[in-house]
Amino acid sequence: MDTKWDALKAECMACKKCGLCEGRHHVVFGVGNTSAEVMFIGEGPGENEDLQGEPFVGLAGQLLDKLLAVIDLDRNKNIYIANIIKCRPPRNRDPLPEEQDACIPWLRKQVAMIRPKIIVCLGRIAAARLMDPNIKITRQHGEFIQRNGVWMMATLHPAALLRNPAQKPDAFTDFLKLRDKIHEVCTHTYE
Ligand code: URA
């Protein structure tokens, strides 16, 4: 696994499949345990992530880490975190469909190697791309569906929670549902 993973990462770090490669400081490949049973997928790097080369390291990331800690998840121990796109769009605009199309094979390969039991989509862009293009995240967050043997759930994006703190209890409830699902289907996440 490690050699295959390292080869994938090296190839991704040199990617020039779309125009976003021109403005990037770092390719943000992902962070965490490649044996994780739970994967979190965000939208794409922002400024801090682009500068540091790691997903969710800004204010939204700090909030994510707190929500994770509530249910005993830790990016350095028992989960893996990645994004739909690996390079920062200018001024943090939404990634274009063609940028997503160019980039998503990297994520698909990461998922194929990690083989998670649960995928949590952080926000609408990830949920629309991976679960349902018409997903209504305000209504459907916290609902699990099964796809090709993988449990999938969308939750509110931590940056949206920073803009609208009134939604934090909803996100909290989603994380508690996630903990229940982990207890149900995972074998070593809480070991
Ligand atoms: N928002 C995302 O969707 N991903 C990151 O890595 C950081 C912020």
Side-chain angles (χ1 to χ4, degrees):
M1 164 84 166
D2 277 2
T3 353
K4 257 182 87 183
W5 184 266
D6 291 346
L8 179 71
K9 183 168 179 178
E11 208 191 321
C12 181
M13 298 313 260
C15 179
K16 293 202 168 155
K17 289 186 201 294
C18 83
L20 295 180
C21 68
E22 277 155 34
R24 75 183 174 217
H25 292 93
H26 287 100
V27 175
V28 181
F29 185 66
V31 67
N33 186 338
T34 54
S35 307
E37 295 171 298
V38 186
M39 269 184 96
F40 287 79
I41 317 275
E43 175 180 326
E47 186 179 14
N48 295 296
E49 292 75 22
D50 174 55
L51 291 173
Q52 294 181 45
E54 182 171 327
F56 288 99
V57 289
L59 284 178
Q62 288 169 25
L63 176 55
L64 175 62
D65 282 339
K66 280 189 201 156
L67 285 164
L68 292 170
V70 170
I71 58 165
D72 298 310
L73 299 179
D74 179 334
R75 65 171 73 202
N76 297 309
K77 290 206 181 100
N78 52 3
I79 57 167
Y80 194 88
I81 307 178
N83 282 308
I84 296 284
I85 58 160
K86 311 269 187 246
C87 297
R88 182 195 181 203
R91 293 174 305 281
N92 296 344
R93 63 157 168 73
D94 285 355
L96 302 172
E98 57 267 32
E99 290 161 352
Q100 295 188 34
D101 290 346
C103 202
I104 203 116
W106 297 119
L107 179 65
R108 300 239 179 256
K109 285 178 192 159
Q110 288 175 299
V111 172
M113 283 193 209
I114 293 178
R115 296 200 291 126
K117 299 228 167 61
I118 300 174
I119 292 177
V120 179
C121 296
L122 297 166
R124 181 185 57 82
I125 299 268
R129 185 73 206 206
L130 300 179
M131 294 174 72
D132 169 3
N134 299 313
I135 196 160
K136 293 278 170 286
I137 197 118
T138 42
R139 245 194 358 245
Q140 289 167 265
H141 69 88
E143 289 176 15
F144 277 96
I145 58 165
Q146 216 179 4
R147 277 286 164 74
N148 304 320
V150 181
W151 287 100
M152 303 192 71
M153 180 193 89
T155 189
L156 303 157
H157 194 289
L161 300 176
L162 291 176
R163 286 192 300 270
N164 186 2
Q167 288 184 318
K168 281 187 189 173
D170 285 343
F172 194 80
T173 310
D174 292 350
F175 275 69
L176 296 181
K177 286 184 191 159
L178 172 60
R179 181 174 62 185
D180 289 345
K181 185 57 85 182
I182 292 171
H183 280 302
E184 189 188 319
V185 304
C186 294
T187 57
H188 59 259
T189 297
Y190 286 145
E191 253 172 10

